[in-house]
Amino acid sequence: MNVTVYLSSRNNISPAFKKATAEVADGIGRMGAALVYGGSNAGQMHTLAATAKAAGAKIIGVIPEIFRHLADPLADRIIYTKDLGERKTALREMGDAYVALPGGIGTLDEVMSTLAEMTVSRNFDKKILLVNIDGVFDPLIAQLQKFAELGLASKEAVDSIVAVSSAGECIEKLKQLTK
């Protein structure tokens, strides 16, 4: 199973977010899954890769050519893309499941692009797990539910987003998806 993880490349973030990153990464490795991620050696992206690799995961990084100098040497495979749009497509296409850890604008963009592609293709077989530490994704979840309530998004699309309250719960959901 390939697990695509969206997250912050920053390091100056809440200790709770850092802990969740390490726990999700460890769980992915222990599951015997491959990690697909943004490929950067910066901040939480590097922590994710290092922890997952130490736990036995194969690491696949996907990074725009312009950031070649930031490519994580820990990756077993690096895929260079021409831009962020191509990167999002590759991350999406390679994933069997998606996990979003707390992140900023890039993480939100990746989650919404994944959901939009699922909606356009009418394929909701895969899930997007939001690791909702300290309620970081509460506003997004509320907005998506409002879209469905108003008929602006399908319930099926919104239901493909699954909020989990901890890294442990995220790993348990991932295990269920592989059965």
Side-chain angles (χ1 to χ4, degrees):
M1 169 186 233
N2 285 348
V3 180
T4 295
V5 178
Y6 305 130
L7 77 163
S8 177
S9 63
R10 295 179 183 232
N11 216 16
N12 188 19
I13 60 173
S14 163
F17 298 166
K18 290 180 179 183
K19 182 175 185 247
T21 296
E23 289 175 358
V24 166
D26 184 68
I28 289 169
R30 290 182 187 279
M31 283 176 54
L35 168 67
V36 182
Y37 78 118
S40 172
N41 68 356
Q44 291 307 289
M45 282 195 197
H46 178 72
T47 298
L48 178 78
T51 307
K53 188 170 189 114
K58 178 182 175 188
I59 310 299
I60 304 166
V62 183
I63 193 164
E65 184 65 45
I66 193 169
F67 296 128
R68 179 178 279 271
H69 64 286
L70 295 175
D72 200 329
L74 288 175
D76 296 300
R77 179 176 171 212
I78 288 279
I79 298 167
Y80 294 100
T81 62
K82 69 177 180 164
D83 57 26
L84 286 171
E86 192 175 281
R87 175 201 209 183
K88 287 188 296 185
T89 298
L91 289 168
R92 202 171 46 245
E93 288 177 351
M94 293 180 76
D96 297 310
Y98 310 98
V99 172
L101 286 156
I105 293 167
T107 301
L108 179 61
D109 179 40
E110 290 162 336
V111 167
M112 295 311 296
S113 291
T114 301
L115 184 58
E117 181 61 34
M118 291 165 72
T119 300
V120 168
S121 68
R122 304 296 304 153
N123 184 352
F124 302 106
D125 294 339
K126 299 177 184 180
K127 297 295 179 195
I128 303 170
L129 305 179
L130 302 180
V131 185
N132 196 23
I133 306 299
D134 293 338
V136 69
F137 289 113
D138 285 350
L140 175 61
I141 294 162
Q143 184 64 60
L144 290 170
Q145 290 170 342
K146 186 68 170 179
F147 285 158
E149 180 185 305
L150 295 172
L152 299 170
S154 72
K155 182 174 177 358
E156 194 175 26
V158 172
D159 288 348
S160 66
I161 300 266
V162 178
V164 295
S165 60
S166 69
E169 187 180 350
C170 176
I171 296 303
E172 288 308 310
K173 291 278 186 196
L174 285 172
K175 288 177 182 175
Q176 289 172 12
L177 294 174
T178 63
K179 292 179 183 177

